[in-house]
Structures are given as C-alpha cells and as structure tokens.
Amino acid sequence: MAIFNRDSEDEVARGARAVVVHAETHGGDRRDSDARLEEARGLALAIGIDVRAAQAFRVRDRKPATLFGSGQVDQIATLARQEEADLIIVDNSLSPVQQSNLEKACEAKVIDRTGLILEIFGERAATNEGRLQVELAHLDYQAGRLVRSWTHLERQRGGFGFLGGPGETQIEADRRMIRDRMAKIRKELDQVTRTRGLHRARRQRAPWPVIALVGYTNAGKSTLFNRMTGADVMAQDLLFATLDPTMRQIALPGLDKAILSDTVGFVSDLPTQLIAAFRATLEEVLSADLIVHVRDIAHPDSDAQRDDVLDVLGELGVAGEAALERAEGEPPAPLIIEAWNKLDLLDADAAVLARETAARRDDVAILSALTGEGMEQLQRMISDHMTTGAKVYGLRIPVSDGAAMAWLHEHGEVLSTDVEEEESRVEVRLSDAAFARFGKRGEA
C-alpha cells in the first residue's frame, strides 16, 4: 500500500524474489521453526511473492543492531545472493535500526513480519472502513522508519535569500503530514465506530441473537460461514483470504432467526498496530451472544493457534481473566465453543481419535465445512448453548398483539396460554438474552 511519496524501491512488488529467515530463540515461540517458516511462506504467497528459500537461525541473544549474529547476517546475505533474491523477509519484529542495518549488510530490501502482514491487509481491505484501519496501522508503523524508507526526504527546503535559514527538512515535514493524516483517520474511524455502535444497538433490540465466528487465519471460517448461510464470501486456501466482516441471517434448531458474523482471521504475533486499528471491527465480537472458535484440527500447530486466538480475545476482554474482570454493569462475556474444522483432511486413525476427544467435551463440534459432515451437530450445539439457562416467565400480552405471540413462539417455548377478556396470560420458557430482547422490541 503506497503512502504519500515512498520510494518505488521501498514497496513490496508482486512477483518479487524473496528468502524468508526466522530468528529462533529458546522458549520464545509456541511452535517449531519449520511451522513458522511455512506460515511465513503462506503470508508471502498471499501477496504474490516468490519465496525461493527459507531458513531458521538459532539466536542465543537478540542483537540490538541486527537481531542476528554477525556470522548469521553473512549467511543471510549469501543466501539472498545465491537465490538472486531482491527481498529478505524476517519472520520476526525488527526495530527500524535493525531493519536498516540488515539492508546495508545484505544489500537487499528487508521487511519484517509486521510489515508483511500490513502489506497483505493493505491489498485485501475492501471497505472504506477497512482501508482506513489499514492506513492508520501502516502510518503508525512507518512513522518510526522514515529515516530508512524515505531517504529521499532528507534534503531541505531552504528559505529565501541569505537570511532565510535552512528551513524545514522534508523529513520533518512528512512526519508532520503523517501525524496530521493519522489524526484525520482517527476522527473518521471514531465516526465509523459510532455508526457501528448504533447498528449494534439496533441489533441488540432486534429479536434475534448474534453468533460470531473467530479463528486463526485459514482455519475455514469463511467456508463455514458460506455453508451455514448459503452466502458466497471469498473462501480460499490462502492466509487472510477475507478481511472485512460479513453478517448474514440464519436459522437454527429452535431459533428461527439468528445473525452470523464472519470476522477477520487472527495470526500469531499480530501487529499491535492492527489490533488497535481493527478494534472497531473486532468489537462485533464483544456484543455477540456466542463465539464459535473455528479451529483447523488437521494443522500440526492447531493447539498453538488456539492459544494465539485466545490471546487476542483476551486483549478484547472476551476470554481468560479479562472476561472474568468485566466492569459492573457491562454485559457478561459471550460463551465460547469450538468448531474443529477440516475433518476431511485427517487420516482414518487421526479422525477416530479426534472424534473420541471431541465427544468427551460439551463445547466442541467436529466437522468439515467443505463437505458438510458434522454440520447438524454444530448447529444443534449452537442452539443448545443459546438456550442454556432458559427460565419460565409469566407474561400478560394484549390479545390484539399477535406479533408478540408470534415472537414468543419463534424464540421460546410457549408452555401455556390463558385468554382473559382482552389479555392473554402466557407462560413461556426463554433464555435471559431472549427475554431481554423481548422487552426491547418496541424501542426505537
């Protein structure tokens, strides 16, 4: 994503030849180096980069100047020359100084994991909101890298005559431009957040619950979303195939209407700039009645991916200790169940073991969103959890209010009806959420 007047050689081009390197530190990651390198390959592939080689380096101590040791930097430079690579992707976070020093030592463009993910998001964001969020994150990331990326800005714009002074350097001017642009974007996103809040409030007054799909990128959320809704959301075997949230109406056993929301996929070491920028979008998860955590059960790092997702949900306050510490007056954190997806990719023995493991838990459904196997179990589990804790309420409803009676039949279990003159006395079993929605039906 081009911002202002960046040098053309600083942009990541499709088809660029690249090598991927990863600094492996003892106890510093949940997954092994091969899995990290394979994921980095997938991230690069997502924007059309041609990865020629990938290699992990054991780093005892992170070097402040280059991250890697001097001998390892020489090996990286040699690898890049051998593969005729014009881009080096470091599957770690780099400081601006480390990035600049590696570029000088290797004589090739260097981007880190954060920069790579930002490039993907910049290419994929489709809505105005998504583009604003990505631009804000990208500007925040670029602000500390002007000296490296924008060397053409170091010249000065002088004043007039001998007494004019050197004037403001171009790099200072562009820093100011970045600050001004970030402030403008934040104002626009605040407006988006307020609008989204109004839409969310309307949905909360509406007579149907909200179910949010979350999960690691490429876990199959969009495929599951399409299977459950009959929609045609982009779903490919590609990291970050979709970014912008999508919502559709669905029917479930015992719930004639519900809203299903497909959210952006998570990834390990998700840049903090993106978590902050996409908070307005991810807040959809906060207002959900139920979260379905979609997991790629066939992936060798499925457990580590689960932990990464829970970390992000914890930052949002819907999982872990954060969910238990919600302020008084806030709605309770949504329930979380797991959908173990991609059953069709497991071999026979692994599939049997996975089914046996899932059967011992009441919060797990195992399925294949691609083939449809196990979908009925997932839909039944969602419905059961949505109606957990249902209570019997005694209500008085005007005989003329047929809409209210129809609503109760759709969203609860009507146990008895006794008509007295112009009023019906109704006993109905409803969940707390459904009862709250029933009371808000007439609100504007």
Side-chain angles (χ1 to χ4, degrees):
M1 179 177 66
I3 306 292
F4 299 118
N5 264 336
R6 286 197 297 170
D7 285 330
S8 60
E9 67 267 17
D10 187 58
E11 298 183 18
V12 176
R14 276 190 167 273
R17 298 182 302 273
V19 295
V20 175
V21 296
H22 173 68
E24 180 183 2
T25 57
H26 180 67
D29 202 340
R30 291 174 175 141
R31 52 180 62 82
D32 62 27
S33 297
D34 289 342
R36 281 298 299 254
L37 289 174
E38 187 59 32
E39 181 174 283
R41 281 178 178 271
L43 290 170
L45 177 64
I47 51 174
I49 294 174
D50 177 16
V51 178
R52 297 294 184 87
Q55 186 172 342
F57 294 87
R58 187 76 170 176
V59 175
R60 185 175 301 172
D61 298 308
R62 294 173 178 264
K63 306 300 180 185
T66 56
L67 177 62
F68 301 91
S70 57
Q72 293 171 332
V73 172
D74 290 340
Q75 292 180 52
I76 294 171
T78 301
L79 180 64
R81 285 194 296 270
Q82 289 175 344
E83 299 296 337
E84 298 181 345
D86 41 30
L87 174 65
I88 297 172
I89 300 172
V90 179
D91 188 39
N92 303 85
S93 293
L94 295 175
S95 69
V97 170
Q98 290 170 336
Q99 194 168 359
S100 177
N101 289 338
L102 284 173
E103 285 191 338
K104 292 174 183 176
C106 299
E107 298 181 341
K109 175 175 170 54
V110 174
I111 63 170
D112 65 357
R113 183 179 178 86
T114 299
L116 180 60
I117 293 174
L118 285 171
E119 290 287 346
I120 298 170
F121 275 55
E123 183 173 294
R124 295 285 173 74
T127 65
N128 180 55
E129 178 186 0
R131 286 190 290 268
L132 286 173
Q133 291 166 331
V134 172
E135 184 179 355
L136 178 61
H138 213 145
L139 287 170
D140 186 26
Y141 176 74
Q142 284 283 345
R145 289 167 162 76
L146 288 180
V147 174
R148 179 194 69 80
S149 298
W150 300 13
T151 53
H152 69 293
L153 302 180
E154 292 176 351
R155 62 184 179 272
Q156 294 180 329
R157 285 185 253 184
F160 295 100
F162 293 102
L163 301 179
E168 182 182 40
T169 63
Q170 183 67 56
I171 198 168
E172 289 168 349
D174 278 272
R175 281 200 180 104
R176 175 169 47 79
M177 288 172 62
I178 285 180
R179 287 194 301 269
D180 293 345
R181 177 60 180 159
M182 289 176 70
K184 182 179 179 181
I185 292 174
R186 287 192 177 102
K187 287 182 181 179
E188 293 183 47
L189 283 175
D190 284 343
Q191 180 60 47
V192 171
T193 301
R194 285 193 292 272
T195 302
R196 187 179 290 278
L198 291 173
H199 292 168
R200 187 182 302 118
R202 290 195 192 101
R203 285 198 301 274
Q204 288 173 342
R205 289 194 292 269
W208 44 76
V210 176
I211 302 144
L213 300 180
V214 303
Y216 207 82
T217 184
N218 208 31
K221 295 184 308 301
S222 295
T223 303
L224 178 60
F225 183 85
N226 290 340
R227 173 69 64 174
M228 294 182 70
T229 64
D232 191 24
V233 173
M234 178 183 177
Q236 294 184 7
D237 184 15
L238 196 67
L239 298 182
F240 294 120
T242 52
L243 293 182
D244 297 295
T246 308
M247 308 187 83
R248 292 288 189 278
Q249 179 178 304
I250 61 171
L252 294 167
L255 292 170
D256 285 351
K257 294 181 182 179
I259 298 296
L260 187 66
S261 173
D262 183 18
T263 59
V264 63
F266 301 155
V267 71
S268 64
D269 300 330
L270 189 67
T272 55
Q273 294 98 333
L274 275 177
I275 294 178
F278 275 80
R279 185 167 294 276
T281 301
L282 294 174
E283 279 176 355
E284 291 295 337
V285 177
L286 293 173
S287 64
D289 297 276
L290 179 71
I291 293 175
V292 179
H293 178 185
V294 183
R295 292 178 54 188
D296 178 356
I297 197 61
H299 197 284
D301 280 325
S302 182
D303 289 341
Q305 291 181 351
R306 173 201 60 203
D307 294 340
D308 289 329
V309 170
L310 292 178
D311 285 347
V312 178
L313 291 178
E315 289 191 45
L316 295 174
V318 297
E321 295 182 1
L324 301 176
E325 297 173 357
R326 293 167 78 91
E328 185 176 351
E330 288 187 21
L335 294 170
I336 301 177
I337 65 173
E338 293 186 1
W340 290 4
N341 190 27
K342 303 194 181 182
L343 176 62
D344 54 298
L345 297 183
L346 294 177
D347 60 39
D349 292 339
V352 169
L353 179 60
R355 285 192 176 96
E356 291 175 349
T357 304
R360 292 193 291 269
R361 295 176 53 177
D362 60 2
D363 63 339
V364 171
I366 188 165
L367 60 110
S368 168
L370 187 63
T371 67
E373 181 181 358
M375 288 301 302
E376 290 185 6
Q377 179 197 4
L378 174 63
Q379 292 172 331
R380 172 55 63 185
M381 180 174 291
I382 292 174
S383 179
D384 290 345
H385 278 79
M386 294 299 295
T387 56
T388 295
K391 300 173 184 176
V392 175
Y393 294 91
L395 305 174
R396 292 178 179 270
I397 299 174
V399 173
S400 59
D401 194 353
M405 286 300 299
W407 194 99
L408 293 175
H409 278 283
E410 285 184 3
H411 299 88
E413 181 184 0
V414 177
L415 303 177
S416 66
T417 303
D418 186 13
V419 179
E420 296 180 354
E421 297 182 355
E422 297 182 357
E423 197 173 57
S424 297
R425 298 178 61 184
V426 181
E427 283 194 346
V428 58
R429 181 177 285 111
L430 294 169
S431 68
D432 291 341
F435 181 69
R437 287 192 178 86
F438 179 75
K440 293 180 178 180
R441 284 181 313 120
E443 295 183 16

